[in-house]
Amino acid sequence: RELFEEVGVSVYSFFPWITRVTHQNGCDVILKFFRVNIWEGNPVAREGQELKWQSPSEIRVNPVLPANHKVLKFLRLPSIYGISDATSLNSFVFSKKLDNAVKQGLRFIQVRDKKLPELQRIALAKKVIEKCNRVGGIAVINSDFDLARRFNASGVHLSSALLKRQQSRPNFEWCGASCHDDKELQKAIDIDLDFVVYGPVLKTATHPESKPIGWTKFELKAREFPIPIFAIGGLTKTMLGRAQSIGGHGISMLRGAWS
């Protein structure tokens, strides 16, 4: 209703995104954000306000409400989060699949492959970071701060074990973490991370011993989470809509990102 009254847009489909709490004049203000994906009409200033289209990565209007700074940053995160799989595919095959995935629009990649020989992992990190930088994407390194700094990665992704030991936010533009329970999710919030992956939602071939949390539990955590939360574990690209419809920012995939 507000969108129609203020900017003349009729909304037909939307889904919950994040919930932020700010403190103003001694009160807690709860802001529930939604993402609109189907609408009709061209936005016009129906109440005499000024309108300006800008990219979340380049906001030039002033002032911006303090509560919106983090939100605008979160909007820059793509909805598909690919995890490198050079170990099982072999480096040559993965390189080809990486090229193809980036051509098809993948813009958010984590270099994991912890079992690769050191020189191969270094080469992999260099290639992924260079390729992401070329297309304006985001490349993060799993748990290795030195490697991330060496090639100027966009950030780091903390394993759940490293998250537990971390006392403060690492000094990178983007910082995320793998979470499996309530304590880890809260820790990610406490140290001001930018995103988390939560799961496994479904059974996975890589971790058959892990008990999946299922979509119901994922929704329970995602619907009022204050930072972007990605579903992970046994997912395919066709499940993106389901994850977003229940509050997820997107999905993270190992094998599925390269198929």
Side-chain angles (χ1 to χ4, degrees), residues 11-233:
V11 173
Y12 295 105
S13 177
F14 60 91
F15 44 80
W17 184 39
I18 57 175
T19 299
R20 304 285 292 178
V21 178
T22 65
H23 309 287
Q24 298 177 12
N25 301 321
C27 298
D28 288 341
V29 180
I30 301 173
L31 303 173
K32 291 181 177 290
F33 291 85
F34 294 82
R35 300 188 77 169
V36 176
N37 58 334
I38 300 178
W39 72 93
E40 187 177 79
N42 295 314
V44 293
R46 301 185 72 179
E47 296 187 353
Q49 70 274 46
E50 291 185 32
L51 297 181
K52 191 173 186 66
W53 288 105
Q54 296 202 317
S55 165
S57 61
E58 195 174 4
I59 301 295
R60 295 180 179 177
V61 296
N62 279 300
V64 174
L65 294 174
N68 283 343
H69 284 292
K70 291 288 283 188
V71 176
L72 291 170
K73 181 180 182 182
F74 295 159
L75 284 173
R76 293 163 53 194
L77 280 174
S79 58
I80 300 289
Y81 184 24
I83 303 172
S84 67
D85 193 22
T87 304
S88 62
L89 291 172
N90 81 50
S91 295
F92 178 78
V93 173
F94 177 74
S95 180
K96 295 291 185 183
K97 288 183 175 290
L98 171 66
D99 291 344
N100 189 51
V102 171
K103 285 179 182 177
Q104 292 183 8
L106 184 64
R107 294 294 182 268
F108 190 19
I109 303 172
Q110 175 196 152
V111 178
R112 192 172 183 275
D113 285 291
K114 297 179 181 180
K115 295 182 180 179
L116 273 185
E118 182 181 6
L119 291 179
Q120 290 185 35
R121 189 165 189 258
I122 290 172
L124 173 66
K126 185 173 184 291
K127 180 178 177 62
V128 171
I129 292 168
E130 287 177 348
K131 189 162 287 292
C132 279
N133 287 344
R134 238 178 269 133
V135 295
I138 299 171
V140 298
I141 306 295
N142 187 296
S143 301
D144 192 331
F145 297 178
D146 291 337
L147 184 59
R149 292 190 181 100
R150 179 175 176 179
F151 293 113
N152 196 29
S154 302
V156 292
H157 182 107
L158 309 179
S159 66
S160 57
L162 182 55
L163 173 64
K164 292 175 184 177
R165 302 194 302 269
Q166 198 72 28
Q167 296 303 308
S168 60
R169 175 193 168 91
N171 187 24
F172 291 92
E173 181 182 8
W174 293 100
C175 298
S178 296
C179 297
H180 308 292
D181 58 36
D182 291 357
K183 287 185 178 180
E184 293 170 1
L185 289 170
Q186 186 59 49
K187 183 66 177 290
I189 296 170
D190 291 343
I191 65 172
D192 195 30
L193 298 188
D194 300 306
F195 65 92
V196 297
V197 298
Y198 180 50
V201 176
L202 306 176
K203 283 188 175 182
T204 69
T206 51
H207 296 90
E209 75 287 351
S210 297
K211 183 179 179 181
I213 62 172
W215 286 111
T216 300
K217 188 171 183 179
F218 178 83
E219 179 179 8
L220 183 66
K221 300 302 176 185
R223 272 195 175 270
E224 295 192 353
F225 208 64
I227 64 177
I229 182 169
F230 290 80
I232 191 172

